[in-house]
Amino acid sequence: SLGSSSHSYEDEGRPARGAKAAIPPPIYEDSDRPRSPPGPTSSFLANMGGTVAHKIMQKYGFKEGQGLGKHEQGLSTALSVEKTSKRGGKIIIGDAAEKPGSSQSGAADTSSGASAADSSKKSEANPLTEILKNPTKVVLLRNMVGRGEVDEDLEGETKEECEKYGKVVKCVIFEIAVVPDDEAVRIFLEFERVESAIKAVVDLNGRYFGGRVVKACFYNLDKFRVLNLGEQV
């Protein structure tokens, strides 16, 4: 019958049995509406916040928008330190030191207007890289003592001191006439292994000894064996 198949219009507005009624979203006043946190800022100082690094940079005069470097040129490569003595060195910016014609200074303490000649003088003052290209078992020390300062204990003391780098086979002291005082006395050390000689040169070259700056380099083994000790180096 029509009565059994029809249904009341009121049933359409009722939720199905077991279903939950929809909860309307809350209504906020504009002042009460929750806000998302501000997005990240690109400001260097804002990102640094109040960190120790920021305070240190402020102490040394850094301002937002400034480039790093002596001339505010910015730093695009890592800094490294080139050894000039046992406890000394100089800061090098990337590989600029290897490019004497570069417009950028190789050493951090050189001015931007330094010439290529100044760069070559700096490399000559620290020739350790060139010295290490042709290592031998024999190390030559110059300017450790001056003319007339060689005594009977110098040979033994030098050999004993250099044993910390490796076994020393022989120590010979040779004095040359008619040369400057810093070239007059040559001390030769023959090591058992090349590795020991390399350690000795790296450690001794540029070291201060009795107010003198020691110059260390390698010497030809064959010439040393036949006592040809006056060869120019």
Side-chain angles (χ1 to χ4, degrees), residues 134-166:
N134 299 298
T136 69
K137 293 182 181 181
V138 181
V139 174
L140 167 59
L141 303 178
R142 293 168 291 159
N143 201 37
M144 182 171 279
V145 296
R147 184 181 283 106
E149 297 179 2
V150 178
D151 58 30
E152 58 184 9
D153 298 325
L154 182 61
E155 181 180 326
E157 290 174 353
T158 304
K159 182 178 179 180
E160 182 179 354
E161 173 68 18
C162 292
E163 288 279 353
K164 65 184 180 183
Y165 306 117

Side-chain angles (χ1 to χ4, degrees), residues 18-94:
K20 294 182 180 180
I23 300 175
I27 300 174
Y28 292 100
E29 294 292 336
D30 189 59
S31 59
D32 297 333
R33 184 180 298 277
R35 301 180 184 277
S36 59
T41 172
S42 60
S43 168
F44 177 80
L45 295 182
N47 288 332
M48 291 296 291
T51 63
V52 175
H54 177 206
K55 291 176 182 177
I56 291 174
M57 294 182 74
Q58 276 191 328
K59 179 181 177 183
Y60 287 97
F62 177 80
K63 297 178 182 178
E64 185 176 6
Q66 248 182 7
L68 297 177
K70 183 175 181 180
H71 304 286
E72 300 182 20
Q73 75 277 14
L75 301 178
S76 58
T77 55
L79 300 179
S80 60
V81 177
E82 180 180 327
K83 186 173 180 182
T84 56
S85 64
K86 185 179 180 182
R87 294 184 177 84
K90 64 181 180 181
I91 298 175
I92 302 297
I93 302 175

Side-chain angles (χ1 to χ4, degrees), residues 1-40:
S1 67
L2 292 174
S4 61
S5 60
S6 64
H7 61 277
S8 173
Y9 287 104
E10 294 178 359
D11 293 339
E12 292 181 358
R14 295 177 184 174
R17 184 174 295 178
K20 294 182 180 180
I23 300 175
I27 300 174
Y28 292 100
E29 294 292 336
D30 189 59
S31 59
D32 297 333
R33 184 180 298 277
R35 301 180 184 277
S36 59

Side-chain angles (χ1 to χ4, degrees), residues 159-197:
K159 182 178 179 180
E160 182 179 354
E161 173 68 18
C162 292
E163 288 279 353
K164 65 184 180 183
Y165 306 117
K167 185 176 179 181
V168 178
V169 178
K170 185 185 295 184
C171 178
V172 176
I173 298 177
F174 183 70
E175 193 165 342
I176 304 176
V178 201
V179 292
D181 184 69
D182 61 340
E183 296 284 342
V185 179
R186 292 185 166 193
I187 302 176
F188 295 87
L189 295 156
E190 181 185 352
F191 287 89
E192 189 175 59
R193 301 180 62 189
V194 175
E195 291 83 354
S196 302

